[in-house]
Amino acid sequence: MNRVIGRLSAPPTLADVAELAGVSRQTVSNAVNNPDLLREDTLARVQAAIEQLGYQPNRAARSLRTRSSRLIGLRIAPAQEGNANALMDRFVHALVDTSREAGYHILLFTGDAEDPVAGYDDLLRSTAVDAFIVTDTFMGNPAAAWLRSRRAPFVAFGRPWDDEHDSVHPWVEIDSAAGAAMATGHLIERGHTRIAWIGWRKDSVLGEERRSGWTRTMREHGLATTGLASRVEDTIASGRAATVALLDEASPTAFVCASDTLAMGVLHELYARGLRPGEDIAVTGFDDSQVAQTVPPGLTSVRQPLEDAAVAVVKALEGLLGNPPYLADGVMLQPRLVVRGSS
């Protein structure tokens, strides 16, 4: 129960818990910060008092004592117009849940779109966070090197594309090439031999990784790829424009796309031509977005295990922030194909 001060209700304090449990303030502090020091019956009595009063430890005060904020910084990018992908929303939600269970909280921040390291410096100078999670791991991104130069702990969601075997920071990745290979193999099993690829621009390392899964699987089955691939921006309009060109010039019977956004562009053009997805032309996407799950007849898509990725990222963070700290190995997770009516 909260104490009343004037007309305001004040939250319960450590002293209130100590009085209700019949113990010292230090015992309550130990119950919160070092429960292993207490006898089981004493700990249970203090925890019961904490629950009854609804006591919340003062995070700021504890940060001053321990030099730990229990906050993890995560820079987020603005939403893209014309894009159907909400992949990061799902990852962040999973990350918030998982980190809370481990005793941490995620602090979201933004930065200058033209400056990959903007936003990090302010948080480091203010010691507001204990570590960072970096999601922009494209080749040449200076954020990782910048953080390393300042001895700032961080985990990357995305492997170090320059050389994953020589990495000096922990990372978690989902095997994109395997996902594209699953989609391509599924279409081949359905009898398709002219399978087109719509992917991202060549400077997207992740896009090229996904494309490699399509290329490898086609070649393993002795199928041609010449004239069946397109590289475009990741927008619905770009996906549709690529579909127009491929249908008119290469006559594919199926499409494998690097994202659900591009697959939506394919579906738009198929509907405009009176072609039925899954019957006249097969289509697969990537990321299993909400759109993939709701658009008729349902878009077959590669689903990434983002919940597992969040668990692996937090585990790596716990290693970096442990006493003593340790550097976890890189983790490669496998996606799965969710088959729906479009294929």
Side-chain angles (χ1 to χ4, degrees):
M1 181 180 296
N2 290 349
R3 295 170 296 125
V4 176
I5 300 178
R7 297 181 62 184
L8 299 177
S9 178
T13 66
L14 183 144
D16 295 329
V17 175
E19 181 180 354
L20 179 60
V23 297
S24 68
R25 297 184 184 187
Q26 183 58 50
T27 298
V28 176
S29 178
N30 285 339
V32 172
N33 300 303
N34 300 289
D36 293 342
L37 298 178
L38 302 184
R39 289 180 358 198
E40 288 187 11
D41 59 335
T42 302
L43 179 60
R45 193 163 71 250
V46 174
Q47 289 176 335
I50 288 174
E51 184 174 351
Q52 180 179 336
L53 293 173
Y55 170 69
Q56 295 289 333
N58 188 312
R59 179 177 297 275
R62 186 166 63 182
S63 295
L64 290 174
R65 292 194 306 271
T66 65
R67 297 183 181 273
S68 172
S69 68
R70 310 296 291 182
L71 294 175
I72 307 298
L74 173 65
R75 175 172 153 158
I76 56 172
Q80 291 180 274
E81 296 293 333
N83 191 297
N85 193 357
L87 179 73
M88 284 306 299
D89 290 349
R90 193 175 130 223
F91 175 68
V92 170
H93 191 279
L95 193 62
V96 168
D97 281 346
T98 306
S99 60
R100 185 177 64 244
E101 292 173 2
Y104 293 94
H105 292 274
I106 301 299
L107 177 64
L108 301 180
F109 66 98
T110 59
D112 185 347
E114 302 300 321
D115 183 359
V117 301
Y120 289 101
D121 193 46
D122 289 342
L123 291 178
L124 279 180
R125 289 179 182 277
S126 65
T127 64
V129 299
D130 293 340
F132 292 95
I133 297 168
V134 177
T135 58
D136 295 326
T137 58
F138 57 85
M139 191 174 292
N141 181 3
W146 189 90
L147 289 169
R148 281 197 302 269
S149 71
R150 286 154 178 79
R151 296 176 174 269
F154 72 95
V155 175
F157 178 39
R159 72 176 183 264
W161 294 100
D162 298 327
D163 187 356
E164 67 184 67
H165 301 294
D166 194 35
S167 172
V168 292
H169 66 265
W171 54 268
V172 177
E173 176 67 295
I174 296 169
D175 194 338
S176 288
M182 290 176 191
T184 307
H186 163 69
L187 294 173
I188 292 172
E189 290 175 0
R190 301 290 295 174
H192 295 279
T193 58
R194 292 193 60 76
I195 303 172
W197 167 261
I198 301 181
W200 300 324
R201 298 291 187 189
K202 198 168 186 176
D203 59 358
S204 168
V205 182
L206 180 59
E208 291 301 283
E209 181 78 359
R210 294 183 180 184
R211 175 178 169 136
S212 71
W214 166 76
T215 303
R216 183 181 70 247
T217 306
M218 293 286 282
R219 289 175 178 171
E220 286 173 353
H221 289 80
L223 301 176
T225 58
T226 303
L228 286 168
S230 179
R231 292 186 176 97
V232 296
E233 299 294 332
D234 192 31
T235 66
I236 294 174
S238 295
R240 183 172 183 177
T243 306
V244 170
L246 286 165
L247 286 175
D248 291 346
E249 298 171 11
S251 301
T253 63
F255 288 86
V256 176
C257 300
S259 70
D260 288 348
T261 296
L262 295 175
M264 286 299 299
V266 177
L267 294 181
H268 274 272
E269 182 57 25
L270 295 186
Y271 284 124
R273 295 186 181 212
L275 298 172
R276 296 163 298 178
E279 296 184 43
D280 300 317
I281 302 283
V283 186
T284 69
F286 205 114
D287 291 334
D288 196 29
S289 63
Q290 290 292 327
V291 171
Q293 300 170 35
T294 56
V295 66
L299 175 63
T300 294
S301 187
V302 177
R303 184 172 181 85
Q304 304 199 53
L306 297 180
E307 293 75 16
D308 294 339
V311 170
V313 166
V314 172
K315 183 177 180 181
L317 283 168
E318 289 181 299
L320 288 179
L321 301 175
N323 188 17
Y326 70 89
L327 182 66
D329 293 332
V331 175
M332 182 69 79
L333 300 172
Q334 293 299 309
R336 63 185 177 89
L337 186 67
V338 181
V339 178
R340 298 190 178 93
S342 70
S343 66

